[in-house]
Amino acid sequence: MDSLGVPIEAIPNSLLGEIAEALQHYVVPIYTISPGIGSPRIWWFGSGTLVEVAGQHSILTAAHVWDAIRDAEQIGLVLTTFLSGFTIRRETISGRVIRNGDNPEWGPDLALLTIPSACVGRISAHKSFLNLAQQRARFAELR
C-alpha cells in the first residue's frame, strides 16, 4: 500500500503505464566502464533522476550508487532506449550525500550529483531535467 492506503494492485495498468512513460523522460541508468582484455567492460550500478535545482543540473540517485562509482574514471548515462552511451569524466562531477549515519539501512540514502554545464545540452537532446522548484510549487497547490 502507498501512504494513501491504496494497494498497488488497485491502480489501473493504464495509469501505471502512463507513469512509467513519463518517468522515462527523467530517469537514466548509470554505469562505469573499466578496461578489459579485448574490450572494455560495462558495470551497471543503478539509476538516477535528472533534476534541476536553482538552475543547477544534477542527477538524484542513491548514496550507495555514488559510493560505488565515485572512484571511476568515467561515469556513463544511458540517454535513449537504444542504449546510447554518454560518459562524463568523474572529476567534473561533485556529489552531496544525505544519509542516516546512525541506521543507514533505513535511509535516507540519497546523493545529488552536480554535472558540468557543458554536458547539459547533450543530455537535454534526449532527456529532460525535472525542475524540483516547480514540482514543490505544484505539490503546495494540491494541499
Side-chain angles (χ1 to χ4, degrees), residues 23 26-28 30 47-51 58-61 112 128 130:
L23 288 175
Y26 308 103
V27 175
V28 290
I30 299 173
S47 64
T49 303
L50 299 169
V51 297
S58 303
I59 303 167
L60 182 63
T61 190
L112 188 65
S128 299
L130 185 64

Side-chain angles (χ1 to χ4, degrees), residues 1-75:
M1 280 197 196
D2 68 11
S3 62
L4 299 175
V6 177
I8 190 82
E9 299 83 24
I11 301 172
N13 284 336
S14 59
L15 178 58
L16 292 174
E18 286 179 40
I19 293 168
E21 187 175 324
L23 288 175
Q24 286 181 11
H25 296 287
Y26 308 103
V27 175
V28 290
I30 299 173
Y31 65 94
T32 63
I33 301 173
S34 60
I37 298 173
S39 64
R41 187 158 183 186
I42 295 175
W43 298 91
W44 298 99
F45 285 100
S47 64
T49 303
L50 299 169
V51 297
E52 180 183 347
V53 181
Q56 181 61 57
H57 295 85
S58 303
I59 303 167
L60 182 63
T61 190
H64 66 267
V65 170
W66 177 237
D67 291 342
I69 64 175
R70 72 175 349 135
D71 293 328
E73 188 175 312
Q74 297 209 23
I75 295 172

Side-chain angles (χ1 to χ4, degrees), residues 103-115:
N103 194 353
E105 184 176 331
W106 293 101
D109 178 46
L110 296 172
L112 188 65
L113 311 180
T114 303
I115 58 174

Side-chain angles (χ1 to χ4, degrees), residues 64-143:
H64 66 267
V65 170
W66 177 237
D67 291 342
I69 64 175
R70 72 175 349 135
D71 293 328
E73 188 175 312
Q74 297 209 23
I75 295 172
L77 307 175
V78 177
L79 300 179
T80 71
T81 56
F82 301 109
L83 297 179
S84 68
F86 174 68
T87 58
I88 304 171
R89 297 210 43 86
R90 163 49 197 102
E91 69 266 8
T92 66
I93 298 173
S94 62
R96 293 190 338 203
V97 172
I98 302 169
R99 74 175 76 197
N100 182 348
D102 297 332
N103 194 353
E105 184 176 331
W106 293 101
D109 178 46
L110 296 172
L112 188 65
L113 311 180
T114 303
I115 58 174
S117 57
C119 297
V120 172
R122 171 87 184 271
I123 294 170
S124 295
H126 301 281
K127 296 283 186 173
S128 299
F129 288 85
L130 185 64
N131 186 308
L132 294 184
Q134 287 177 353
Q135 295 302 310
R136 183 177 184 178
R138 286 182 187 151
F139 183 73
E141 290 172 4
L142 295 175
R143 294 182 139 206

